[in-house]
Amino acid sequence: MSAVIVTGTDTEIGKTVFSAALTGALGASYWKPVQAGTDDEGHGDAETVARLSGRPVLPSAYRLKTPCSPHRAAEIDGVEIDRDRLALPQVDGPLVAEGAGGVLVPVTRRLLFADLFAHWGRPVVLVARTGLGTINHSLLSIEALRSRGVPMLGVAFVGDAVEDSEATIAAIGGVKRLGRLPRLADLTAKTLAEAFAANFAVEDFR
Ligand SMILES: Nc1ncnc2c1ncn2[C@@H]1O[C@H](COP(=O)(O)OP(=O)(O)OP(=O)(O)O)[C@@H](O)[C@H]1O
Ligand SMILES: [Mg+2]
């Protein structure tokens, strides 16, 4: 099984939308190991990916009520997160797995997402904004992943083009710029698939 891990420089930057595009382009299945917080309809990232990709989504290992860091959401819900349940699921075909928040977000008080990624040993895509502050956030994230020996496919940007920031992150971080997903005014499965095809090379993710 081939798996691609999607992480990001922060929460709410577009990891799920990018994951949906990638899941669709690869004909993959999607997995969010820990979902902390859902919307008014009880929907989390998996439901968004199902809607925007039309691909199968696997049930999360943990679905927690409170919209905060998983380690704290689990404590509030009275749930103990067992890392044995966070093994990558076996599926036919490729798998796209999305972490919560950024790379140093605690899964538990003893386990950070970056450590879980290192344990999985599968290549990671870092999703980053293009706006002000992204050079610092991106380079910090790259350093944290590299220091743990996490293999990186590169950076996928989300937002308006900021050529110098994108090139600077790739050069100083020593990573590939995989492409940039523009903000789509009308976000549907169709517009997203078209935007991914126009701005990324799917072979970079295989
Ligand atoms: N390319 C895009 N075009 C239009 N809207 C987008 C795009 N990317 C993200 N958004 C919107 O921005 C918001 C945050 O995106 P998303 O849920 O993908 O972030 P996230 O990084 O996965 O957040 P979390 O840390 O909660 O998992 C959502 O409302 C989403 O619809
Ligand atoms: Mg998400």
Side-chain angles (χ1 to χ4, degrees):
M1 178 202 61
S2 61
V4 176
I5 314 307
V6 176
T7 185
T9 53
D10 205 345
T11 186
E12 287 288 304
I13 59 159
K15 293 184 301 292
T16 298
V17 171
F18 174 80
S19 295
L22 181 60
T23 300
L26 289 173
S29 302
Y30 169 88
W31 186 51
K32 175 98 174 176
V34 184
Q35 174 71 51
T38 50
D39 67 15
D40 295 343
E41 278 134 33
H43 290 178
D45 287 354
E47 288 75 16
T48 301
V49 171
R51 177 168 55 80
L52 289 176
S53 72
R55 299 293 310 166
V57 299
L58 306 173
S60 294
Y62 294 95
R63 262 180 103 90
L64 306 165
K65 289 195 199 79
T66 312
C68 65
S69 176
H71 79 286
R72 188 63 194 139
E75 288 174 352
I76 292 167
D77 282 11
V79 170
E80 189 138 353
I81 293 182
D82 174 1
R83 67 180 291 167
D84 291 344
R85 282 181 57 190
L86 300 176
L88 284 173
Q90 294 297 317
V91 290
D92 290 332
L95 178 73
V96 172
E98 180 191 341
V103 299
L104 295 190
V105 165
V107 183
T108 71
R109 291 192 183 270
R110 286 178 302 280
L111 179 71
L112 305 178
F113 267 101
D115 297 321
L116 185 60
F117 300 155
H119 174 71
W120 285 341
R122 301 305 171 100
V124 165
V125 176
L126 180 69
V127 177
R129 297 179 296 112
T130 53
L132 195 63
T134 193
I135 296 178
N136 180 52
H137 289 146
S138 298
L139 295 179
L140 284 168
S141 302
I142 291 164
E143 214 170 278
L145 291 167
R146 188 163 287 136
S147 73
R148 289 169 173 79
V150 176
M152 263 177 286
L153 287 177
V155 180
F157 290 98
V158 178
D160 295 338
V162 184
E163 252 177 65
D164 183 76
S165 295
E166 297 171 44
T168 301
I169 289 163
I172 298 178
V175 292
K176 189 178 169 88
R177 177 193 176 281
L178 295 161
R180 177 183 59 85
L181 203 57
R183 286 254 152 204
L184 302 170
D186 175 32
L187 179 61
T188 66
K190 184 167 179 290
T191 60
L192 182 60
E194 286 167 357
F196 185 90
N199 293 289
F200 292 89
V202 71
E203 308 82 61
D204 285 343
F205 301 90
R206 288 201 220 274

